[in-house]
Amino acid sequence: MKRIDPKLDAAKRNAATRAVAAIEDNMVLGLGSGSTASMAIELLGARVAQGLRVTGIPTSERTATLARQVGIPLTDFTHHRKLDLTIDGADQIEDGSLTLIKGLGGALLREKIVAEASARMIVIADHTKLVKQLGAATPLPVELVPFGWELALEKLRALGCEAALRRAGAEPFVTDGGHVIADCSFDAIPDAARLQERLRRITGVVETGLFIGLASLAILGHEDGVTLLER
Ligand SMILES: O=C[C@H](O)[C@H](O)[C@H](O)COP(=O)(O)O
């Protein structure tokens, strides 16, 4: 069972509250995934109940369910090619570049599609997610097609990481897109763009959890407020 840390929870909520305050009437939104993004979705639901008119594209089935529960109208790329704003969480945020590691919850592919279609991405997280250099404390999730994942894992290891297939109990964890995930532990990721390029060259890699040049604002939550970091 996941332990709830009240201080971190308050920090996440502060970040989510600040981000939701930036949402304006008639915006088409990208709705992120994970515990921090879920707080933002609940807060947005309350604003919608008060009359705010927005529509959202969810980045996971779980987010779609939550958004429906709190009354946020959903849309899709058939109706909207361009989004005004995406609000999403992150597993690590690099200080300065705002390059992110995402995907510990398994939603990285849809999250990246949505973020890339957005004019602006605000990343929200508790302050512990900010790092000087990516990689050390958090594995990098890499989404793979299930066929031949064993081979892809070997190629990932050849790039200098420890790679493990993510499991849900005894079975491989399966994403909303029907793929599997390799969690790749690097000692550090000094050059995210180069690593991204090398990962994408591996046959079977669908997408990586590196989000480069996508977030323009990070809202870091603390127990008693927020810090804003702009790129
Ligand atoms: O796949 C999951 C997403 O990338 C989440 O946004 C990320 O894992 C952060 O989640 P949380 O806010 O629960 O730490």
Side-chain angles (χ1 to χ4, degrees):
M1 210 168 68
K2 220 176 174 179
R3 286 214 344 245
I4 294 175
D5 178 332
K7 288 187 181 173
L8 280 188
D9 244 40
K12 289 179 191 185
R13 194 164 300 281
N14 283 335
T17 304
R18 182 61 172 259
V20 170
I23 297 173
E24 294 166 15
D25 220 20
N26 295 317
M27 276 187 165
V28 182
L29 299 167
L31 306 174
S33 294
S35 58
T36 320
S38 293
M39 289 180 185
I41 291 163
E42 283 168 7
L43 293 163
L44 176 60
R47 286 195 63 194
V48 168
Q50 289 163 1
L52 182 79
R53 285 159 302 175
V54 292
T55 50
I57 298 187
T59 53
S60 62
E61 294 302 324
R62 204 177 253 207
T63 289
T65 303
L66 176 62
R68 282 190 199 100
Q69 279 167 0
V70 300
I72 301 169
L74 297 182
T75 185
D76 54 35
F77 290 113
T78 307
H79 297 94
H80 295 98
R81 298 281 196 280
K82 275 276 163 208
L83 283 66
D84 298 299
L85 171 67
T86 285
I87 296 174
D88 203 349
D91 302 303
Q92 282 194 342
I93 303 169
E94 189 175 63
D95 202 359
S97 69
L98 300 191
T99 297
L100 313 173
I101 287 183
K102 287 182 54 55
L104 286 195
L108 65 104
L109 177 59
R110 290 190 189 183
E111 288 178 333
K112 198 178 277 190
I113 291 170
V114 167
E116 285 179 353
S118 299
R120 198 160 168 242
M121 178 190 192
I122 298 179
V123 62
I124 51 175
D126 69 72
H127 60 94
T128 65
K129 304 285 186 71
L130 185 71
V131 294
K132 286 274 163 243
Q133 190 174 63
L134 293 173
T138 304
L140 173 66
V142 177
E143 190 153 342
L144 305 173
V145 293
F147 185 79
W149 64 262
E150 299 88 342
L151 307 177
L153 230 63
E154 278 175 16
K155 291 177 186 162
L156 289 169
R157 288 183 185 127
L159 296 183
C161 65
E162 280 178 30
L165 186 75
R166 189 180 300 180
R167 296 192 178 270
E171 298 301 317
F173 171 89
V174 179
T175 67
D176 285 345
H179 304 124
V180 297
I181 289 187
D183 286 312
C184 301
S185 300
F186 290 89
D187 289 337
I189 301 176
D191 187 342
R194 185 168 138 76
L195 178 61
Q196 170 88 322
E197 220 180 271
R198 296 175 81 194
L199 290 168
R200 280 191 169 153
R201 269 193 237 126
I202 297 175
T203 306
V205 167
V206 179
E207 194 44 85
T208 86
L210 284 169
F211 283 51
I212 303 170
L214 289 171
S216 52
L217 174 68
I219 304 181
L220 296 178
H222 306 267
E223 209 190 339
D224 55 356
V226 295
T227 307
L228 306 189
L229 298 175
E230 271 181 283
R231 178 168 59 84

